[in-house]
Amino acid sequence: CISSAASDVYKRQEPILTSALVVALAEIGDKTMLLAIVLATRFRKPLPIILGILVATLANHGIAALLGKSIAGLLQGEWFQIAVGVSFIAMAAWTLVPDKLDDDEAKAPRFGAFLTTAVAFFVVEIGDKTQVATIALGAQYQAVVAVTLGTTIGMLLANVPAVYLGNALVERVPLKTVRIVAALAFLGLGVWVLVQAIA
């Protein structure tokens, strides 16, 4: 039946869609988004910057999703699912804290727009909330390619407009509201995982 087929398609796409939505919301106002604006202002070459973001995110989030899947493979069971659910709820609280770009991060060395962006994004993303979210999503879905694809789409959805519109985007988008929406998304995901684990 049609509804069953639609349900199967959604289940196959769920890791991509959820990962994209969660990371896109979490990325707005994040320090990597601020870095994208700084680099766009410095180089004024949108395409190499976007390609640098793409390459850095695929590499960083691919490793993060693989780490999440590996942890999940080692620690299967109800308690691990509960830990994943709690980590999403902790991410909800973390998302409410505004980010600020450090001076050292803003002064990335000039090796050209693409290489500077790729290196700076990869480094700044280490330990960032979107990377931590990718680890949790990798643990939840245990689908490295789908989660990496989804989180990368989410990063591009947030950062491509930032590259083209720069500070105007940050000034016009109510970042507090976006952070609240992102926090609610993480909270909802965390509660959903906890309910599945306990049930």
mmCIF file of all heavy atoms in Angstrom, residues 92-143:
data_model
loop_
_atom_site.group_PDB
_atom_site.id
_atom_site.type_symbol
_atom_site.label_atom_id
_atom_site.label_comp_id
_atom_site.label_asym_id
_atom_site.label_seq_id
_atom_site.Cartn_x
_atom_site.Cartn_y
_atom_site.Cartn_z
ATOM 1 N N ALA A 92 20.675 20.378 24.086
ATOM 2 C CA ALA A 92 19.613 21.401 24.093
ATOM 3 C C ALA A 92 20.021 22.572 24.979
ATOM 4 O O ALA A 92 19.879 23.737 24.600
ATOM 5 C CB ALA A 92 18.295 20.797 24.572
ATOM 6 N N ALA A 93 20.565 22.251 26.169
ATOM 7 C CA ALA A 93 21.009 23.311 27.084
ATOM 8 C C ALA A 93 22.205 24.064 26.503
ATOM 9 O O ALA A 93 22.268 25.301 26.570
ATOM 10 C CB ALA A 93 21.366 22.706 28.439
ATOM 11 N N TRP A 94 23.147 23.344 25.893
ATOM 12 C CA TRP A 94 24.353 23.946 25.317
ATOM 13 C C TRP A 94 23.992 24.893 24.173
ATOM 14 O O TRP A 94 24.601 25.941 23.991
ATOM 15 C CB TRP A 94 25.282 22.835 24.846
ATOM 16 C CG TRP A 94 26.650 23.277 24.393
ATOM 17 C CD1 TRP A 94 27.195 24.535 24.474
ATOM 18 C CD2 TRP A 94 27.651 22.458 23.799
ATOM 19 N NE1 TRP A 94 28.468 24.538 23.961
ATOM 20 C CE2 TRP A 94 28.778 23.282 23.538
ATOM 21 C CE3 TRP A 94 27.712 21.104 23.457
ATOM 22 C CZ2 TRP A 94 29.937 22.780 22.946
ATOM 23 C CZ3 TRP A 94 28.870 20.621 22.879
ATOM 24 C CH2 TRP A 94 29.958 21.449 22.625
ATOM 25 N N THR A 95 22.979 24.529 23.408
ATOM 26 C CA THR A 95 22.558 25.332 22.258
ATOM 27 C C THR A 95 22.069 26.718 22.681
ATOM 28 O O THR A 95 22.175 27.677 21.913
ATOM 29 C CB THR A 95 21.443 24.588 21.481
ATOM 30 O OG1 THR A 95 21.967 23.319 21.065
ATOM 31 C CG2 THR A 95 21.000 25.348 20.256
ATOM 32 N N LEU A 96 21.555 26.835 23.881
ATOM 33 C CA LEU A 96 21.040 28.123 24.360
ATOM 34 C C LEU A 96 22.159 29.116 24.709
ATOM 35 O O LEU A 96 21.900 30.301 24.866
ATOM 36 C CB LEU A 96 20.142 27.905 25.583
ATOM 37 C CG LEU A 96 18.833 27.150 25.310
ATOM 38 C CD1 LEU A 96 18.122 26.824 26.618
ATOM 39 C CD2 LEU A 96 17.931 27.942 24.383
ATOM 40 N N VAL A 97 23.408 28.618 24.803
ATOM 41 C CA VAL A 97 24.544 29.488 25.143
ATOM 42 C C VAL A 97 25.090 30.116 23.863
ATOM 43 O O VAL A 97 25.495 29.402 22.948
ATOM 44 C CB VAL A 97 25.661 28.679 25.843
ATOM 45 C CG1 VAL A 97 26.848 29.573 26.177
ATOM 46 C CG2 VAL A 97 25.120 27.990 27.091
ATOM 47 N N PRO A 98 25.110 31.456 23.761
ATOM 48 C CA PRO A 98 25.623 32.112 22.547
ATOM 49 C C PRO A 98 27.108 31.828 22.339
ATOM 50 O O PRO A 98 27.866 31.733 23.296
ATOM 51 C CB PRO A 98 25.395 33.604 22.806
ATOM 52 C CG PRO A 98 24.465 33.683 23.962
ATOM 53 C CD PRO A 98 24.644 32.422 24.750
ATOM 54 N N ASP A 99 27.503 31.680 21.077
ATOM 55 C CA ASP A 99 28.902 31.435 20.730
ATOM 56 C C ASP A 99 29.598 32.731 20.375
ATOM 57 O O ASP A 99 28.975 33.692 19.958
ATOM 58 C CB ASP A 99 28.990 30.484 19.521
ATOM 59 C CG ASP A 99 29.401 29.084 19.926
ATOM 60 O OD1 ASP A 99 29.805 28.894 21.082
ATOM 61 O OD2 ASP A 99 29.298 28.183 19.087
ATOM 62 N N LYS A 100 30.924 32.715 20.517
ATOM 63 C CA LYS A 100 31.732 33.879 20.135
ATOM 64 C C LYS A 100 33.011 33.345 19.516
ATOM 65 O O LYS A 100 33.559 32.336 19.946
ATOM 66 C CB LYS A 100 31.976 34.711 21.387
ATOM 67 C CG LYS A 100 33.220 35.498 21.468
ATOM 68 C CD LYS A 100 33.159 36.352 22.715
ATOM 69 C CE LYS A 100 34.309 36.144 23.647
ATOM 70 N NZ LYS A 100 35.553 36.691 23.270
ATOM 71 N N LEU A 101 33.448 33.989 18.444
ATOM 72 C CA LEU A 101 34.645 33.555 17.737
ATOM 73 C C LEU A 101 35.873 34.152 18.413
ATOM 74 O O LEU A 101 35.960 35.358 18.603
ATOM 75 C CB LEU A 101 34.575 34.015 16.276
ATOM 76 C CG LEU A 101 35.590 33.416 15.312
ATOM 77 C CD1 LEU A 101 35.384 31.906 15.200
ATOM 78 C CD2 LEU A 101 35.450 34.053 13.947
ATOM 79 N N ASP A 102 36.825 33.286 18.812
ATOM 80 C CA ASP A 102 38.068 33.759 19.428
ATOM 81 C C ASP A 102 38.923 34.479 18.392
ATOM 82 O O ASP A 102 38.869 34.172 17.206
ATOM 83 C CB ASP A 102 38.869 32.575 19.996
ATOM 84 C CG ASP A 102 38.128 31.869 21.114
ATOM 85 O OD1 ASP A 102 37.318 32.534 21.805
ATOM 86 O OD2 ASP A 102 38.351 30.674 21.288
ATOM 87 N N ASP A 103 39.759 35.402 18.843
ATOM 88 C CA ASP A 103 40.637 36.146 17.930
ATOM 89 C C ASP A 103 41.559 35.220 17.159
ATOM 90 O O ASP A 103 41.804 35.406 15.979
ATOM 91 C CB ASP A 103 41.474 37.169 18.707
ATOM 92 C CG ASP A 103 40.620 38.331 19.206
ATOM 93 O OD1 ASP A 103 39.523 38.529 18.654
ATOM 94 O OD2 ASP A 103 41.051 39.018 20.149
ATOM 95 N N ASP A 104 42.090 34.177 17.835
ATOM 96 C CA ASP A 104 42.995 33.234 17.167
ATOM 97 C C ASP A 104 42.290 32.487 16.043
ATOM 98 O O ASP A 104 42.865 32.194 15.005
ATOM 99 C CB ASP A 104 43.551 32.217 18.175
ATOM 100 C CG ASP A 104 44.507 32.863 19.163
ATOM 101 O OD1 ASP A 104 44.986 33.972 18.865
ATOM 102 O OD2 ASP A 104 44.768 32.257 20.207
ATOM 103 N N GLU A 105 41.012 32.166 16.263
ATOM 104 C CA GLU A 105 40.250 31.443 15.251
ATOM 105 C C GLU A 105 39.906 32.353 14.082
ATOM 106 O O GLU A 105 39.844 31.925 12.943
ATOM 107 C CB GLU A 105 38.973 30.863 15.877
ATOM 108 C CG GLU A 105 39.273 29.750 16.886
ATOM 109 C CD GLU A 105 38.102 29.427 17.777
ATOM 110 O OE1 GLU A 105 37.152 30.235 17.843
ATOM 111 O OE2 GLU A 105 38.127 28.365 18.406
ATOM 112 N N ALA A 106 39.676 33.618 14.364
ATOM 113 C CA ALA A 106 39.317 34.567 13.314
ATOM 114 C C ALA A 106 40.514 34.903 12.434
ATOM 115 O O ALA A 106 40.356 35.278 11.281
ATOM 116 C CB ALA A 106 38.765 35.836 13.932
ATOM 117 N N LYS A 107 41.736 34.751 12.980
ATOM 118 C CA LYS A 107 42.939 35.103 12.230
ATOM 119 C C LYS A 107 43.583 33.861 11.635
ATOM 120 O O LYS A 107 44.742 33.555 11.919
ATOM 121 C CB LYS A 107 43.932 35.811 13.146
ATOM 122 C CG LYS A 107 43.461 37.168 13.635
ATOM 123 C CD LYS A 107 44.435 37.770 14.610
ATOM 124 C CE LYS A 107 43.919 39.081 15.165
ATOM 125 N NZ LYS A 107 44.738 39.621 16.241
ATOM 126 N N ALA A 108 42.836 33.134 10.834
ATOM 127 C CA ALA A 108 43.379 31.950 10.175
ATOM 128 C C ALA A 108 44.421 32.377 9.139
ATOM 129 O O ALA A 108 44.294 33.419 8.526
ATOM 130 C CB ALA A 108 42.250 31.182 9.495
ATOM 131 N N PRO A 109 45.503 31.570 8.951
ATOM 132 C CA PRO A 109 46.536 31.957 7.993
ATOM 133 C C PRO A 109 45.998 31.991 6.560
ATOM 134 O O PRO A 109 45.087 31.245 6.222
ATOM 135 C CB PRO A 109 47.590 30.850 8.156
ATOM 136 C CG PRO A 109 46.856 29.698 8.751
ATOM 137 C CD PRO A 109 45.762 30.285 9.577
ATOM 138 N N ARG A 110 46.601 32.855 5.746
ATOM 139 C CA ARG A 110 46.150 33.020 4.363
ATOM 140 C C ARG A 110 46.873 32.049 3.440
ATOM 141 O O ARG A 110 48.022 32.256 3.087
ATOM 142 C CB ARG A 110 46.406 34.443 3.899
ATOM 143 C CG ARG A 110 45.414 35.431 4.431
ATOM 144 C CD ARG A 110 45.627 36.741 3.713
ATOM 145 N NE ARG A 110 44.711 37.721 4.232
ATOM 146 C CZ ARG A 110 44.050 38.565 3.476
ATOM 147 N NH1 ARG A 110 44.197 38.554 2.181
ATOM 148 N NH2 ARG A 110 43.242 39.445 4.010
ATOM 149 N N PHE A 111 46.178 31.000 3.044
ATOM 150 C CA PHE A 111 46.698 30.057 2.060
ATOM 151 C C PHE A 111 45.761 30.015 0.863
ATOM 152 O O PHE A 111 45.713 29.039 0.140
ATOM 153 C CB PHE A 111 46.827 28.650 2.654
ATOM 154 C CG PHE A 111 47.827 28.566 3.765
ATOM 155 C CD1 PHE A 111 47.441 28.206 5.040
ATOM 156 C CD2 PHE A 111 49.166 28.848 3.536
ATOM 157 C CE1 PHE A 111 48.361 28.117 6.066
ATOM 158 C CE2 PHE A 111 50.100 28.767 4.560
ATOM 159 C CZ PHE A 111 49.695 28.403 5.823
ATOM 160 N N GLY A 112 44.989 31.059 0.681
ATOM 161 C CA GLY A 112 43.946 31.038 -0.334
ATOM 162 C C GLY A 112 42.630 30.716 0.339
ATOM 163 O O GLY A 112 42.593 30.107 1.423
ATOM 164 N N ALA A 113 41.545 31.123 -0.300
ATOM 165 C CA ALA A 113 40.213 31.001 0.319
ATOM 166 C C ALA A 113 39.830 29.558 0.620
ATOM 167 O O ALA A 113 39.351 29.244 1.707
ATOM 168 C CB ALA A 113 39.171 31.657 -0.586
ATOM 169 N N PHE A 114 40.052 28.653 -0.344
ATOM 170 C CA PHE A 114 39.628 27.257 -0.159
ATOM 171 C C PHE A 114 40.391 26.576 0.972
ATOM 172 O O PHE A 114 39.791 26.035 1.901
ATOM 173 C CB PHE A 114 39.789 26.461 -1.456
ATOM 174 C CG PHE A 114 39.605 24.987 -1.263
ATOM 175 C CD1 PHE A 114 38.326 24.450 -1.107
ATOM 176 C CD2 PHE A 114 40.698 24.135 -1.206
ATOM 177 C CE1 PHE A 114 38.149 23.082 -0.896
ATOM 178 C CE2 PHE A 114 40.528 22.767 -1.000
ATOM 179 C CZ PHE A 114 39.248 22.255 -0.850
ATOM 180 N N LEU A 115 41.716 26.601 0.902
ATOM 181 C CA LEU A 115 42.528 25.892 1.888
ATOM 182 C C LEU A 115 42.381 26.497 3.284
ATOM 183 O O LEU A 115 42.270 25.770 4.281
ATOM 184 C CB LEU A 115 44.000 25.884 1.457
ATOM 185 C CG LEU A 115 44.926 24.972 2.271
ATOM 186 C CD1 LEU A 115 44.422 23.533 2.255
ATOM 187 C CD2 LEU A 115 46.343 25.050 1.728
ATOM 188 N N THR A 116 42.347 27.823 3.358
ATOM 189 C CA THR A 116 42.165 28.487 4.653
ATOM 190 C C THR A 116 40.840 28.080 5.280
ATOM 191 O O THR A 116 40.771 27.753 6.469
ATOM 192 C CB THR A 116 42.211 30.019 4.488
ATOM 193 O OG1 THR A 116 43.501 30.386 4.008
ATOM 194 C CG2 THR A 116 41.950 30.726 5.812
ATOM 195 N N THR A 117 39.778 28.077 4.460
ATOM 196 C CA THR A 117 38.449 27.712 4.972
ATOM 197 C C THR A 117 38.413 26.254 5.411
ATOM 198 O O THR A 117 37.911 25.936 6.503
ATOM 199 C CB THR A 117 37.367 27.954 3.898
ATOM 200 O OG1 THR A 117 37.412 29.323 3.503
ATOM 201 C CG2 THR A 117 35.982 27.628 4.431
ATOM 202 N N ALA A 118 38.955 25.364 4.574
ATOM 203 C CA ALA A 118 38.915 23.929 4.888
ATOM 204 C C ALA A 118 39.645 23.641 6.196
ATOM 205 O O ALA A 118 39.121 22.951 7.078
ATOM 206 C CB ALA A 118 39.522 23.121 3.740
ATOM 207 N N VAL A 119 40.854 24.193 6.349
ATOM 208 C CA VAL A 119 41.646 23.944 7.559
ATOM 209 C C VAL A 119 40.989 24.597 8.773
ATOM 210 O O VAL A 119 40.824 23.962 9.828
ATOM 211 C CB VAL A 119 43.091 24.462 7.379
ATOM 212 C CG1 VAL A 119 43.860 24.406 8.702
ATOM 213 C CG2 VAL A 119 43.814 23.646 6.309
ATOM 214 N N ALA A 120 40.601 25.871 8.629
ATOM 215 C CA ALA A 120 40.014 26.597 9.765
ATOM 216 C C ALA A 120 38.709 25.941 10.222
ATOM 217 O O ALA A 120 38.492 25.765 11.428
ATOM 218 C CB ALA A 120 39.776 28.056 9.388
ATOM 219 N N PHE A 121 37.852 25.572 9.275
ATOM 220 C CA PHE A 121 36.575 24.948 9.640
ATOM 221 C C PHE A 121 36.792 23.610 10.327
ATOM 222 O O PHE A 121 36.123 23.289 11.315
ATOM 223 C CB PHE A 121 35.686 24.776 8.410
ATOM 224 C CG PHE A 121 34.528 25.710 8.389
ATOM 225 C CD1 PHE A 121 34.702 27.039 8.059
ATOM 226 C CD2 PHE A 121 33.256 25.280 8.723
ATOM 227 C CE1 PHE A 121 33.639 27.927 8.056
ATOM 228 C CE2 PHE A 121 32.185 26.149 8.719
ATOM 229 C CZ PHE A 121 32.376 27.475 8.379
ATOM 230 N N PHE A 122 37.705 22.800 9.796
ATOM 231 C CA PHE A 122 37.960 21.488 10.393
ATOM 232 C C PHE A 122 38.423 21.648 11.841
ATOM 233 O O PHE A 122 37.941 20.970 12.739
ATOM 234 C CB PHE A 122 39.011 20.722 9.585
ATOM 235 C CG PHE A 122 39.219 19.312 10.072
ATOM 236 C CD1 PHE A 122 38.452 18.276 9.563
ATOM 237 C CD2 PHE A 122 40.156 19.028 11.055
ATOM 238 C CE1 PHE A 122 38.627 16.967 10.021
ATOM 239 C CE2 PHE A 122 40.336 17.736 11.522
ATOM 240 C CZ PHE A 122 39.568 16.698 10.990
ATOM 241 N N VAL A 123 39.356 22.574 12.073
ATOM 242 C CA VAL A 123 39.919 22.775 13.413
ATOM 243 C C VAL A 123 38.889 23.366 14.371
ATOM 244 O O VAL A 123 38.724 22.887 15.498
ATOM 245 C CB VAL A 123 41.179 23.672 13.339
ATOM 246 C CG1 VAL A 123 41.652 24.079 14.726
ATOM 247 C CG2 VAL A 123 42.289 22.956 12.585
ATOM 248 N N VAL A 124 38.178 24.411 13.925
ATOM 249 C CA VAL A 124 37.203 25.076 14.794
ATOM 250 C C VAL A 124 36.031 24.146 15.130
ATOM 251 O O VAL A 124 35.449 24.230 16.222
ATOM 252 C CB VAL A 124 36.705 26.394 14.144
ATOM 253 C CG1 VAL A 124 35.541 26.998 14.913
ATOM 254 C CG2 VAL A 124 37.841 27.404 14.086
ATOM 255 N N GLU A 125 35.730 23.231 14.228
ATOM 256 C CA GLU A 125 34.602 22.314 14.437
ATOM 257 C C GLU A 125 34.914 21.233 15.472
ATOM 258 O O GLU A 125 34.000 20.619 16.026
ATOM 259 C CB GLU A 125 34.218 21.683 13.091
ATOM 260 C CG GLU A 125 32.954 20.859 13.095
ATOM 261 C CD GLU A 125 31.687 21.637 13.367
ATOM 262 O OE1 GLU A 125 31.710 22.888 13.381
ATOM 263 O OE2 GLU A 125 30.643 20.987 13.596
ATOM 264 N N ILE A 126 36.205 21.016 15.778
ATOM 265 C CA ILE A 126 36.576 19.987 16.762
ATOM 266 C C ILE A 126 36.047 20.389 18.137
ATOM 267 O O ILE A 126 36.363 21.462 18.657
ATOM 268 C CB ILE A 126 38.108 19.791 16.798
ATOM 269 C CG1 ILE A 126 38.602 19.204 15.468
ATOM 270 C CG2 ILE A 126 38.507 18.872 17.961
ATOM 271 C CD1 ILE A 126 40.102 19.170 15.308
ATOM 272 N N GLY A 127 35.224 19.522 18.722
ATOM 273 C CA GLY A 127 34.637 19.784 20.035
ATOM 274 C C GLY A 127 33.475 20.750 20.011
ATOM 275 O O GLY A 127 32.901 21.067 21.050
ATOM 276 N N ASP A 128 33.099 21.222 18.815
ATOM 277 C CA ASP A 128 31.977 22.151 18.689
ATOM 278 C C ASP A 128 30.666 21.388 18.865
ATOM 279 O O ASP A 128 30.617 20.169 18.695
ATOM 280 C CB ASP A 128 32.037 22.824 17.307
ATOM 281 C CG ASP A 128 31.140 24.044 17.228
ATOM 282 O OD1 ASP A 128 31.234 24.903 18.119
ATOM 283 O OD2 ASP A 128 30.346 24.135 16.287
ATOM 284 N N LYS A 129 29.588 22.121 19.160
ATOM 285 C CA LYS A 129 28.324 21.427 19.438
ATOM 286 C C LYS A 129 27.784 20.656 18.234
ATOM 287 O O LYS A 129 27.163 19.608 18.399
ATOM 288 C CB LYS A 129 27.276 22.365 20.007
ATOM 289 C CG LYS A 129 26.877 23.539 19.185
ATOM 290 C CD LYS A 129 25.770 24.311 19.932
ATOM 291 C CE LYS A 129 25.573 25.697 19.372
ATOM 292 N NZ LYS A 129 26.455 26.684 19.999
ATOM 293 N N THR A 130 28.060 21.144 17.010
ATOM 294 C CA THR A 130 27.577 20.398 15.837
ATOM 295 C C THR A 130 28.360 19.098 15.653
ATOM 296 O O THR A 130 27.806 18.102 15.207
ATOM 297 C CB THR A 130 27.648 21.264 14.563
ATOM 298 O OG1 THR A 130 28.909 21.918 14.504
ATOM 299 C CG2 THR A 130 26.552 22.313 14.543
ATOM 300 N N GLN A 131 29.641 19.090 16.037
ATOM 301 C CA GLN A 131 30.403 17.840 15.972
ATOM 302 C C GLN A 131 29.917 16.856 17.043
ATOM 303 O O GLN A 131 29.756 15.667 16.775
ATOM 304 C CB GLN A 131 31.900 18.095 16.155
ATOM 305 C CG GLN A 131 32.717 16.831 15.909
ATOM 306 C CD GLN A 131 34.142 16.926 16.410
ATOM 307 O OE1 GLN A 131 34.394 17.363 17.532
ATOM 308 N NE2 GLN A 131 35.082 16.496 15.595
ATOM 309 N N VAL A 132 29.674 17.365 18.244
ATOM 310 C CA VAL A 132 29.162 16.511 19.326
ATOM 311 C C VAL A 132 27.791 15.951 18.946
ATOM 312 O O VAL A 132 27.495 14.773 19.174
ATOM 313 C CB VAL A 132 29.099 17.293 20.654
ATOM 314 C CG1 VAL A 132 28.441 16.457 21.750
ATOM 315 C CG2 VAL A 132 30.497 17.727 21.082
ATOM 316 N N ALA A 133 26.967 16.801 18.326
ATOM 317 C CA ALA A 133 25.654 16.334 17.861
ATOM 318 C C ALA A 133 25.806 15.240 16.806
ATOM 319 O O ALA A 133 25.044 14.261 16.798
ATOM 320 C CB ALA A 133 24.861 17.509 17.277
ATOM 321 N N THR A 134 26.805 15.375 15.936
ATOM 322 C CA THR A 134 27.047 14.360 14.902
ATOM 323 C C THR A 134 27.452 13.032 15.526
ATOM 324 O O THR A 134 27.027 11.969 15.072
ATOM 325 C CB THR A 134 28.128 14.849 13.910
ATOM 326 O OG1 THR A 134 27.700 16.083 13.341
ATOM 327 C CG2 THR A 134 28.345 13.840 12.797
ATOM 328 N N ILE A 135 28.272 13.082 16.570
ATOM 329 C CA ILE A 135 28.642 11.848 17.280
ATOM 330 C C ILE A 135 27.398 11.182 17.848
ATOM 331 O O ILE A 135 27.197 9.968 17.712
ATOM 332 C CB ILE A 135 29.665 12.146 18.400
ATOM 333 C CG1 ILE A 135 30.988 12.618 17.795
ATOM 334 C CG2 ILE A 135 29.886 10.914 19.286
ATOM 335 C CD1 ILE A 135 31.982 13.159 18.817
ATOM 336 N N ALA A 136 26.536 11.988 18.486
ATOM 337 C CA ALA A 136 25.298 11.443 19.073
ATOM 338 C C ALA A 136 24.370 10.888 17.988
ATOM 339 O O ALA A 136 23.755 9.831 18.170
ATOM 340 C CB ALA A 136 24.589 12.526 19.879
ATOM 341 N N LEU A 137 24.272 11.594 16.846
ATOM 342 C CA LEU A 137 23.431 11.118 15.747
ATOM 343 C C LEU A 137 24.005 9.833 15.145
ATOM 344 O O LEU A 137 23.260 8.908 14.798
ATOM 345 C CB LEU A 137 23.316 12.199 14.670
ATOM 346 C CG LEU A 137 22.458 13.413 15.045
ATOM 347 C CD1 LEU A 137 22.784 14.609 14.156
ATOM 348 C CD2 LEU A 137 20.969 13.077 14.957
ATOM 349 N N GLY A 138 25.335 9.757 15.044
ATOM 350 C CA GLY A 138 25.976 8.534 14.559
ATOM 351 C C GLY A 138 25.699 7.360 15.478
ATOM 352 O O GLY A 138 25.466 6.237 15.034
ATOM 353 N N ALA A 139 25.698 7.625 16.798
ATOM 354 C CA ALA A 139 25.386 6.575 17.777
ATOM 355 C C ALA A 139 23.922 6.167 17.696
ATOM 356 O O ALA A 139 23.587 4.983 17.792
ATOM 357 C CB ALA A 139 25.720 7.069 19.187
ATOM 358 N N GLN A 140 23.050 7.148 17.489
ATOM 359 C CA GLN A 140 21.615 6.868 17.436
ATOM 360 C C GLN A 140 21.238 6.061 16.202
ATOM 361 O O GLN A 140 20.541 5.060 16.283
ATOM 362 C CB GLN A 140 20.826 8.192 17.467
ATOM 363 C CG GLN A 140 19.335 8.056 17.200
ATOM 364 C CD GLN A 140 18.600 7.206 18.221
ATOM 365 O OE1 GLN A 140 19.066 7.036 19.342
ATOM 366 N NE2 GLN A 140 17.479 6.657 17.832
ATOM 367 N N TYR A 141 21.696 6.506 15.035
ATOM 368 C CA TYR A 141 21.263 5.875 13.780
ATOM 369 C C TYR A 141 22.212 4.800 13.268
ATOM 370 O O TYR A 141 21.810 3.959 12.464
ATOM 371 C CB TYR A 141 21.075 6.945 12.695
ATOM 372 C CG TYR A 141 19.885 7.826 12.955
ATOM 373 C CD1 TYR A 141 20.039 9.158 13.327
ATOM 374 C CD2 TYR A 141 18.590 7.326 12.852
ATOM 375 C CE1 TYR A 141 18.943 9.969 13.572
ATOM 376 C CE2 TYR A 141 17.492 8.127 13.101
ATOM 377 C CZ TYR A 141 17.674 9.448 13.460
ATOM 378 O OH TYR A 141 16.578 10.241 13.707
ATOM 379 N N GLN A 142 23.471 4.816 13.725
ATOM 380 C CA GLN A 142 24.481 3.861 13.278
ATOM 381 C C GLN A 142 24.537 3.776 11.751
ATOM 382 O O GLN A 142 24.615 2.696 11.173
ATOM 383 C CB GLN A 142 24.234 2.488 13.913
ATOM 384 C CG GLN A 142 24.304 2.545 15.428
ATOM 385 C CD GLN A 142 24.221 1.191 16.079
ATOM 386 O OE1 GLN A 142 24.771 0.226 15.574
ATOM 387 N NE2 GLN A 142 23.540 1.121 17.202
ATOM 388 N N ALA A 143 24.473 4.930 11.118
ATOM 389 C CA ALA A 143 24.518 5.040 9.660
ATOM 390 C C ALA A 143 25.474 6.178 9.319
ATOM 391 O O ALA A 143 25.063 7.334 9.226
ATOM 392 C CB ALA A 143 23.120 5.302 9.114
#
